[in-house]
Amino acid sequence: MPCDGFDKPIYPCGVNVSPLYEKWESLVSENPDRMALHVAETGEKLTFADLHNALHQLPVADSITFPSEPGKAFILETLRSWKDGSLLCPLESGASEIPLQREALPESICHIKLTSGSTGEPKKILFTPDQLACDADKIVRTMGLKPDQPNLGVISLAHSYGFSNLVLPLLLHGIPLIWVGSPLPGMLRSAFREWKEQVIALPAVPAMWKAWIRSGILSQEQVGLAISAGAPLSLDLEQEAFSETGIKIHNFYGSSECGGIAYDDSPSPRTQPGHVGRAMAETELSVEQAAGCLQIKSPSVGWGTLTGETLTEMNGVFSTSDQARIEDNGSVILGDRSDDIIHVAGRKVSPGKIEAILSQCEGVNHCVVFGVKSRDAERVQDIIAVVNGELADPDQLEAVLSKELRTFEIPRKWWFTDALVPDARGKISRSGWR
């Protein structure tokens, strides 16, 4: 089934946009009294009609909307931008608005995703309504999201993952949202108690899953669908969740530029390193011959990017920096990012391979590995390991690594710091620490 298309009427802001809002209105007319949003912090429960009525109490949106307050306010700001033809640019909580000129962008653009850039300047990815709707369709169909299984929200709504997995399924497909906001185990436990008769879907990041598993709050009877994205989900953590709780965590691989890419729908834990599932609906995957990186063709690929004043179209194709291979059964196996490979005296070293071993060492909470320019020109790069750990000691860690790595793969320099922690999206920026 192809992704839905839209007509292009003119809205109050004077901009021609495709009416995502029409899909919302149809949803409300069909489900006025069904629960749409429950805000755990306040106990507020809103039906689709309640949300619709609250929306119409708001003034007309400006030409650009920057929603940043999470929960109910974010949902209403998204709907208001759709209703009034405003350009939506979600911000993480506390972030400042960025300079944008609406008239400098194609009229079809309705949404801008911001991602952290390696230079410190946010990367701006542009989307049309069709592209957003297609990503939501892909996620709902591939993951099997359904109205009688609410999403429990703890991840950022402003990030591509949260927007596509929580906001769009609610507003375009009627998947209810229980908004908790905080991923702290105590908050999750309270939500489980309040909704003890309800089976839920829970999208999160690996760091959250690790904390929840260790705290013993998860129940297979209540978590009907467990999803992990934002950072690689280790095979060990997936196996631990399965053996401790019976919950199978489904790995979801995507990118801000194109939305969902691959999803692991298997009922049992993965066993192959780098396995991220198979292509999602409406998604064609291939591997570029030259760089060996994964390429995505899909109607959900963004219109393009905005860098400074330069617009660059993607034309339905996005090439990642992830080296990959696709097996005969369609399984996608990822390697390292092409821009993260470390070059040591003519040999290529995988930072991910080193991190995978380090992360299993006793006393290591978090780690990241990267290469920096060596003073020895013939060596090219030195390997640096940054570690957050209570009992970590370089001699002990080198002893463990030496059992599984070649000599040139062992880090030359160590940096121990409590500041190394995953961000709200569950990621540790290798380029940032480099």
Side-chain angles (χ1 to χ4, degrees):
M1 183 173 66
C3 299
D4 293 335
F6 302 97
D7 297 324
K8 299 183 178 180
I10 296 179
Y11 282 87
C13 286
V15 178
N16 288 317
V17 297
S18 300
L20 292 167
Y21 184 68
E22 288 185 358
K23 289 202 73 172
W24 163 254
E25 284 191 316
S26 296
L27 196 60
V28 174
S29 66
E30 295 168 4
N31 308 274
D33 300 322
R34 191 158 59 81
M35 198 276 283
L37 176 66
H38 169 60
V39 184
E41 184 178 7
T42 63
E44 188 176 14
K45 297 180 181 179
L46 298 98
T47 64
F48 283 93
D50 290 335
L51 267 181
H52 199 62
N53 292 335
L55 166 66
H56 284 273
Q57 302 304 311
L58 301 176
V60 173
D62 294 330
S63 62
I64 303 177
T65 301
F66 294 96
S68 61
E69 185 179 346
K72 175 184 174 182
F74 190 99
I75 299 298
L76 287 174
E77 284 294 279
T78 299
L79 283 172
R80 185 169 70 141
S81 75
W82 292 359
K83 177 175 71 72
D84 299 335
S86 174
L87 174 65
L88 189 71
C89 183
L91 301 175
E92 297 289 355
S93 182
S96 301
E97 295 182 6
I98 64 169
L100 283 173
Q101 291 185 328
R102 181 66 184 89
E103 59 274 12
L105 301 176
E107 288 187 347
S108 61
I109 301 303
C110 72
H111 190 99
I112 293 184
K113 293 182 185 179
L114 300 179
T115 66
S116 55
S118 58
T119 63
E121 168 116 10
K123 183 177 182 180
K124 307 174 189 72
I125 310 168
L126 316 181
F127 290 84
T128 68
D130 285 354
Q131 291 156 357
L132 290 181
C134 185
D135 193 28
D137 292 348
K138 288 167 52 172
I139 286 171
V140 170
R141 291 168 54 195
T142 304
M143 297 183 182
L145 302 185
K146 46 193 177 181
D148 62 353
Q149 183 173 268
N151 274 316
L152 196 151
V154 295
I155 56 177
S156 168
L157 299 180
H159 182 237
S160 177
Y161 178 23
F163 193 82
S164 292
N165 265 76
L166 299 176
V167 179
L168 292 179
L170 166 64
L171 302 184
L172 299 181
H173 292 269
I175 311 298
L177 173 60
I178 301 171
W179 177 250
V180 177
S182 170
L184 292 175
M187 295 292 290
L188 209 63
R189 183 183 288 111
S190 297
F192 285 155
R193 287 173 179 168
E194 181 166 359
W195 293 86
K196 59 184 176 182
E197 304 300 326
Q198 179 67 61
V199 178
I200 56 97
L202 181 52
V205 299
M208 294 176 186
W209 285 114
K210 184 176 183 179
W212 298 336
I213 294 165
R214 305 285 165 86
S215 65
I217 65 171
L218 298 176
S219 162
Q220 183 184 15
E221 290 73 26
Q222 194 157 14
V223 181
L225 177 62
I227 304 162
S228 183
L233 174 69
S234 72
L235 301 184
D236 288 338
L237 182 60
E238 187 177 335
Q239 180 60 57
E240 181 181 354
F242 195 73
S243 61
E244 294 291 327
T245 69
I247 293 173
K248 155 65 181 179
I249 303 177
H250 297 274
N251 186 80
F252 173 36
Y253 169 56
S255 173
S256 297
E257 288 85 353
C258 62
I261 297 173
Y263 180 71
D264 165 39
D265 62 357
S266 60
S268 55
R270 299 165 300 154
T271 58
Q272 187 171 7
H275 177 219
V276 294
R278 292 180 292 181
M280 300 186 72
E282 295 292 326
T283 305
E284 179 184 336
L285 303 180
S286 60
V287 176
E288 295 177 325
Q289 290 188 350
C293 293
L294 192 65
Q295 185 178 81
I296 296 92
K297 293 183 180 180
S298 171
S300 69
V301 173
W303 181 93
T305 59
L306 173 63
T307 304
E309 298 181 356
T310 302
L311 290 168
T312 304
E313 291 191 58
M314 289 194 279
N315 298 309
V317 180
F318 172 64
S319 296
T320 73
S321 296
D322 295 319
Q323 296 185 323
R325 72 174 189 274
I326 302 174
E327 300 192 329
D328 292 341
N329 65 358
S331 294
V332 179
I333 311 299
L334 293 186
D336 282 296
R337 291 179 63 86
S338 60
D339 51 1
D340 284 335
I341 293 294
I342 305 170
H343 298 270
V344 179
R347 291 163 291 194
K348 295 181 179 180
V349 177
S350 162
K353 177 182 177 182
I354 303 172
E355 290 168 355
I357 301 170
L358 269 180
S359 63
Q360 301 306 313
C361 293
E362 182 179 357
V364 173
N365 298 325
H366 308 291
C367 64
V368 66
V369 174
F370 52 82
V372 298
K373 185 177 181 180
S374 176
R375 292 182 179 179
D376 182 349
E378 293 184 357
R379 185 176 178 83
V380 186
Q381 288 183 301
D382 289 330
I383 302 173
I384 311 295
V386 186
V387 175
N388 174 335
E390 301 90 352
L391 306 176
D393 173 83
D395 292 335
Q396 294 178 359
L397 295 177
E398 286 181 9
V400 173
L401 293 178
S402 65
K403 296 177 182 178
E404 301 190 52
L405 298 175
R406 292 166 291 183
T407 301
F408 67 87
E409 294 177 304
I410 296 174
R412 246 192 186 196
K413 298 178 182 179
W414 297 84
W415 179 8
F416 294 88
T417 173
D418 293 338
L420 181 72
V421 292
D423 62 18
R425 304 173 183 180
K427 294 185 178 182
I428 293 176
S429 171
R430 185 174 284 132
S431 63
W433 281 92
R434 181 189 294 120

